[in-house]
Amino acid sequence: MELSFDLIAVAGVGQLAHLLHAGPSWTSLGQYAVLFLAFWFAWVMSTMYGNVAGERTRVVAVVAAMFGMAVMAAAVPGVHESDEKARAFALAYIVVRLIASRVWSGRGQVVADLPIIQLGVGLTPWVVSLWVHGDARLWLWAAGLVIDMAVMVRVSREALQAEVDQKWADAEERAEHWLRREERRNAALPPEEAHARVDRVRSRMRRKPQVVAADIEHLSERLGLFVLIVLGEGLVQSVSAASEEEWDGGVRAVGVGVFAVLVLVWSLALRTGSYGLPLLAPRALPVRLVLVLHCLFAGVVAALAAALGRAVEQAGDVMPQPGRLLLAGVLALILLAAAVCALVSGRGTGWTAGAVGPGLVVVGVLTGSPRARDPEGFGTVVSVALAVLALAWPVAWQAYQPGSRILRAKELAQDAGPAGGPGKV
């Protein structure tokens, strides 16, 4: 069922990446960021449901979420121009969120690692946007997503547990007051009948919600798979562009470089990291913060897919400045994400600077590279070669820096725990 569900992710990522294919602008970048975050939140809510529910996952709920996400994906290209498609996107997002909330409330569980399921204040701007037109609609969507991100960052498992305990204590106090009133009301009845009525009332009382956490190993696999889906979109766009070009020396060189970039991102995210995040130790962060980093990193990698597809199309010419800045920007964000993950994993500032610093210098060179025209496509070839160099350095540093393998072995041992048991946080 999960693999079938991910078909919707494939379709959605493809539609979203194409928003940047025609050339990046501040408007298209903002629109892309809002729509990608909304689609990712819809995906992760259903993913978290399957992760925690396991074999008890309700197929109907997952299929309904799949349909909602399919509507969101189909509406992406016309969100800015068509009020009908924009409303369809917003309504589908609202429905997917409500499905997730309803599923968990029906199970009597509270998901500590994804607090926005229970705290749905970020959904309010989306509901208001159904009656709003133009750019104001996108600003409302962005406001709702910012609220959700703030909830993810600030609401810890302990805070959520405390809120559940407080609400339940208040509910129990009200219930006891009501039960005492029922007992006084039934005092005139025969004792057996009075007790039977009170017991029926007690049986209808709700049980205290249970705060549950994610299956870490399974969630890491699912998040890594989403990054693979995003990388697959980069491969699709590059292969599609190469199939329509004459295979001269520039196309061959750029094609090889683009493939190398995708392999290097895969190596950083899935071979040297966890949860599909580069250089991240398995239990370095709470899951809710891992999810925040993951949605940002996945969005950057999807933008990289668009940049690489344009690079193949422009292999016979110099890469225009907007495309080159997009490529440099996503590379810088990938390296900065790797730096953050390395630091929170306890690798130290010296190790992190050595792993990421040279790559950022190369990205700076790419940003300021000359724009002289060259009919052989020298400019695009150099841009892609610099991208390969920027990503190859941290991969090589992780592989060959003294102590890196020992540190990685310790991280994996900590994750596995003694005798294959659960690791210590």
Side-chain angles (χ1 to χ4, degrees), residues 93-389:
Y93 177 74
I94 293 169
V95 169
V96 171
R97 289 283 300 264
L98 292 177
I99 290 172
S101 177
R102 177 61 180 170
V103 164
W104 288 112
S105 63
R107 291 173 59 86
Q109 293 178 327
V110 175
V111 186
D113 297 320
L114 195 61
I116 60 172
I117 292 178
Q118 293 78 219
L119 306 176
V121 64
L123 201 59
T124 303
W126 287 82
V127 176
V128 174
S129 74
L130 295 175
W131 292 273
V132 177
H133 305 277
D135 292 340
R137 180 191 292 121
L138 283 174
W139 283 107
L140 283 171
W141 294 356
L145 293 170
V146 168
I147 293 172
D148 285 334
M149 295 287 279
V151 170
M152 293 285 290
V153 171
R154 294 183 60 86
V155 180
S156 65
R157 176 187 178 92
E158 292 75 18
L160 199 60
Q161 181 70 66
E163 182 178 357
V164 169
D165 292 342
Q166 183 61 46
K167 287 184 176 180
W168 183 251
D170 295 341
E172 279 190 322
E173 185 178 351
R174 291 193 299 269
E176 288 297 328
H177 176 74
W178 188 70
L179 282 172
R180 287 194 297 269
R181 188 179 62 182
E182 285 295 309
E183 288 175 352
R184 290 194 299 269
R185 182 182 302 174
N186 297 324
L189 298 174
E192 293 183 358
E193 183 178 350
H195 286 306
R197 288 192 176 187
V198 173
D199 289 341
R200 284 196 297 271
V201 172
R202 288 183 183 274
S203 67
R204 291 197 295 268
M205 291 178 61
R206 295 179 62 186
R207 296 181 179 179
K208 182 179 180 179
Q210 177 188 8
V211 178
V212 296
D215 180 340
I216 299 298
E217 182 178 353
H218 177 257
L219 182 63
S220 179
E221 177 185 340
R222 297 289 294 137
L223 295 178
L225 183 57
F226 189 86
V227 173
L228 280 177
I229 290 172
V230 175
L231 286 173
E233 177 59 26
L235 194 61
V236 167
Q237 291 211 23
S238 302
V239 169
S240 177
S243 68
E244 298 178 1
E245 301 291 329
E246 293 292 333
W247 286 12
D248 55 16
V251 171
R252 294 190 187 98
V254 170
V256 171
V258 163
F259 187 78
V261 167
L262 293 171
V263 170
L264 289 168
V265 174
W266 163 78
S267 182
L268 266 178
L270 297 167
R271 294 184 70 235
T272 68
S274 303
Y275 305 99
L277 292 170
L279 304 180
L280 181 67
R283 296 178 184 271
L285 286 173
V287 171
R288 73 181 198 283
L289 299 182
V290 168
L291 294 176
V292 171
L293 283 176
H294 183 273
C295 72
L296 299 176
F297 180 76
V300 169
V301 175
L304 176 65
L308 295 179
R310 286 179 57 82
V312 175
E313 291 179 354
Q314 297 158 353
D317 202 346
V318 170
M319 183 180 291
Q321 187 180 25
R324 183 161 45 79
L325 292 178
L326 175 63
L327 179 60
V330 296
L331 290 173
L333 291 174
I334 288 172
L335 293 171
L336 290 174
V340 171
C341 292
L343 288 173
V344 299
S345 300
R347 297 178 188 267
T349 54
W351 192 97
T352 302
V356 176
L360 290 174
V361 172
V362 173
V363 171
V365 173
L366 174 61
T367 304
S369 60
R371 289 181 290 170
R373 295 185 59 83
D374 189 319
E376 301 299 324
F378 178 76
T380 302
V381 172
V382 169
S383 297
V384 174
L386 289 172
V388 173
L389 183 59

